[in-house]
Amino acid sequence: MHNGSRAADDASPATTLPASSMLWVRNLRRFIGSGAGLGSEALMELETKRILLDIFKEKQQKSAEASSIPSFYKKKPEDGSISHRVQRLAKYRFLKKQSDLLLNADDLDAMWVCLRENCVIDDATGAEKMNYEDFCHIASVCTEQIGPKCRRFFSPSNFMKFEKDESGRIAILPFYLYVMRTVSLTQARIDMSELDEDSDGFLQPLEMEAYIRGLIPNLAQLRDMPAAFVQMYCRIAAHKFFFFCDPHRRGKACIKKVLLSNCLQELMELHQETEEEVTDTEQAENWFSLTSAQRICDMFLALDKDMNGTLGKQELREYADGTLTDIFIERAFDEHVRRGKTGGGNAREMDFESFLDFVLALENKDTPEGLTYLFRCLDLHGRGFLTTADIHTLFRDVHQKWIDGGNYELCIEDVRDEIWDMVKPSDPLRITLADLLSCKQGGTVASMLIDVRGFWAHDNRENLLQEEEEPEEE
């Protein structure tokens, strides 16, 4: 009896294990099975060590991943390698597929005919318009005549992009121009991507020149360009893209940025059939016109007195009939001309590319890119701002040229105060590049400080404005 009660006492704790202990037992049995056939604590110990080792390795791996820098650079495949050939083939097939989805000239003409035949005439304005029902009907007609590739232009979201009249109708011309521009930009992106050798979404200078060279036969105003001038033209034209689309001067321009820039739109303006439709002034103002490119070359050759292919400071002082100040010329060389490998002392020579930057900055002073170029020259001490002393120093040369030209006496302090009133800087003691950009008169201020002709234009702005208005009235 005593032994029996003892056995009962030994068994009773097993039936009254706490919940936490029972959970431990279940977990242990899950790892080692039902226990049948094991019969050894060594197997249990070995399994436990394995589990703990797996947990340790997992924590160690997570710790290593957290402390290491993730890889962000992948080496490009070598030319001629299998991976390089596969990449080029995949790129070719993708661009070919995208090109096949584009509307061609005949498709665009057919779409315009469909739009005109199925629109309604506004009685008040005479404009050709369509409501959403007409829009859907035209989509069906175009799909039948042209094919499914035009269907994407007739989505409800596209209809909602355009201004509607009180009857909910949109004009067909803006819609058609939208389709043409979309097709044109997509084709331009395909063409640029084909020239992008490393497929990184950027164009090198030679690749951009190749793109422009391919456009020349299709641009009406450039078709008759002398063959000997084509290379120089492409060099000049491509440089404007890099001036505006490569602000950090990395030597490559983002394709997306090029497509959205005003430069491409300005280049495409040369599609106009005859130059009779464009005035001489407009041709000169368009950097990409043949007239402008020849003007730039002639200007550089005229300044290059020693004919060594570069410009010295004294030669550049003759730019714009010598109206630029000496201090500005000095600062332009300090900030934007690299020191040559040949020649001793501090001698620097401005090459043709640097000259193009110089001209682009002066002819586009009101743009952020042009004003950034000029501000670096105005910032005499490289502090990122201009003080009253800087303005006084910069304008002193303008004042001297002004007096030498036989003009009336000026008070430099009055001009300085006028500049401060024009800019209205956030800090009343200094003018920053951001202040010049936000005041919308940064180009005028820069002209007043570097060019006596620019100051004269500002001083006579009312008379000049009146002269411009008189021919319009006549």
Side-chain angles (χ1 to χ4, degrees), residues 20-34:
S20 60
S21 298
M22 293 298 292
L23 181 62
W24 178 82
V25 171
R26 285 198 300 271
N27 289 338
L28 184 61
R29 284 178 176 173
R30 186 181 302 130
F31 288 123
I32 65 174
S34 62

Side-chain angles (χ1 to χ4, degrees), residues 107-118 142 145 176:
D107 296 335
L108 291 171
D109 291 341
M111 179 182 287
W112 178 242
V113 172
C114 288
L115 287 168
R116 297 203 66 185
E117 289 179 349
N118 296 277
C142 286
Q145 296 184 5
Y176 180 69

Side-chain angles (χ1 to χ4, degrees), residues 109-346:
D109 291 341
M111 179 182 287
W112 178 242
V113 172
C114 288
L115 287 168
R116 297 203 66 185
E117 289 179 349
N118 296 277
C119 67
V120 295
I121 308 297
D122 191 333
D123 297 331
T125 63
E128 297 172 314
K129 296 185 176 182
M130 57 182 172
N131 57 25
Y132 187 67
E133 292 182 0
D134 299 329
F135 184 74
C136 295
H137 174 67
I138 294 172
S140 301
V141 175
C142 286
T143 303
E144 292 176 2
Q145 296 184 5
I146 301 173
K149 58 184 178 181
C150 69
R151 190 74 193 178
R152 64 189 182 98
F153 294 108
F154 291 93
S155 63
S157 58
N158 276 350
F159 184 84
M160 296 301 295
K161 290 177 182 177
F162 298 91
E163 183 180 359
K164 291 171 280 296
D165 61 12
E166 62 278 1
S167 302
R169 300 175 300 183
I170 65 172
I172 66 170
L173 182 59
F175 172 76
Y176 180 69
L177 293 176
Y178 159 77
V179 174
M180 287 187 64
R181 178 163 174 77
T182 302
V183 171
S184 175
L185 287 176
T186 306
Q187 184 62 61
R189 182 167 187 176
I190 292 173
D191 294 340
M192 291 181 188
S193 298
E194 288 178 349
L195 295 168
D196 181 15
E197 288 294 333
D198 48 7
S199 302
D200 61 349
F202 291 82
L203 291 182
Q204 309 290 337
L206 292 178
E207 294 168 346
M208 178 59 74
E209 291 178 21
Y211 171 71
I212 295 172
R213 190 178 296 108
L215 283 180
I216 290 177
N218 300 320
L219 298 176
Q221 297 182 31
L222 300 180
R223 287 174 188 158
D224 299 329
M225 183 187 302
F229 191 67
V230 170
Q231 183 177 355
M232 179 58 70
Y233 172 83
C234 294
R235 185 179 175 188
I236 295 172
H239 203 84
K240 183 166 186 176
F241 283 100
F242 284 89
F243 183 83
F244 285 97
C245 302
D246 181 27
H248 301 295
R249 301 297 180 264
R250 296 181 298 173
K252 57 182 182 178
C254 177
I255 291 178
K256 289 183 179 179
K257 196 167 184 179
V258 168
L259 292 171
L260 297 175
S261 69
N262 292 329
C263 300
L264 187 63
Q265 184 177 353
E266 187 180 356
L267 176 61
M268 294 305 174
E269 288 176 2
L270 303 180
H271 271 297
Q272 295 182 34
E273 285 299 329
T274 61
E275 293 192 5
E276 295 177 359
E277 301 175 13
V278 186
T279 63
D280 293 338
T281 304
E282 290 175 338
Q283 286 185 46
E285 290 178 352
N286 189 326
W287 177 269
F288 299 100
S289 68
L290 184 58
T291 303
S292 175
Q294 290 172 335
R295 171 182 65 90
I296 298 297
C297 283
D298 294 342
M299 191 189 309
F300 185 84
L301 293 174
L303 293 173
D304 186 15
K305 302 296 184 183
D306 55 7
M307 302 181 67
N308 65 344
T310 58
L311 302 179
K313 295 177 183 178
Q314 190 58 40
E315 292 173 324
L316 191 61
R317 286 189 177 97
E318 300 300 319
Y319 180 87
D321 299 326
T323 59
L324 299 177
T325 62
D326 291 347
I327 190 172
F328 171 65
I329 297 296
E330 291 283 345
R331 290 293 300 152
F333 270 78
D334 290 342
E335 292 294 330
H336 301 291
V337 178
R338 292 169 294 191
R339 196 180 304 278
K341 296 180 180 179
T342 60
N346 294 324

Side-chain angles (χ1 to χ4, degrees), residues 71-87:
S71 175
F72 59 90
Y73 172 77
K74 292 183 179 179
K75 187 177 180 180
K76 295 177 182 177
E78 297 180 359
D79 291 345
S81 63
I82 295 179
S83 57
H84 182 255
R85 293 178 182 178
V86 170
Q87 185 184 67

Side-chain angles (χ1 to χ4, degrees), residues 322-325 395-412 415 447-448 451-461:
T323 59
L324 299 177
T325 62
F395 189 73
R396 190 167 52 202
D397 278 9
V398 176
H399 176 260
Q400 186 60 49
K401 286 182 176 290
W402 176 266
I403 298 300
D404 293 343
N407 296 290
Y408 64 88
E409 182 59 50
L410 284 172
C411 178
I412 297 180
V415 176
S447 294
M448 294 169 63
D451 186 357
V452 65
R453 187 180 293 169
F455 177 76
W456 182 90
H458 173 74
D459 190 59
N460 293 271
R461 58 192 179 280

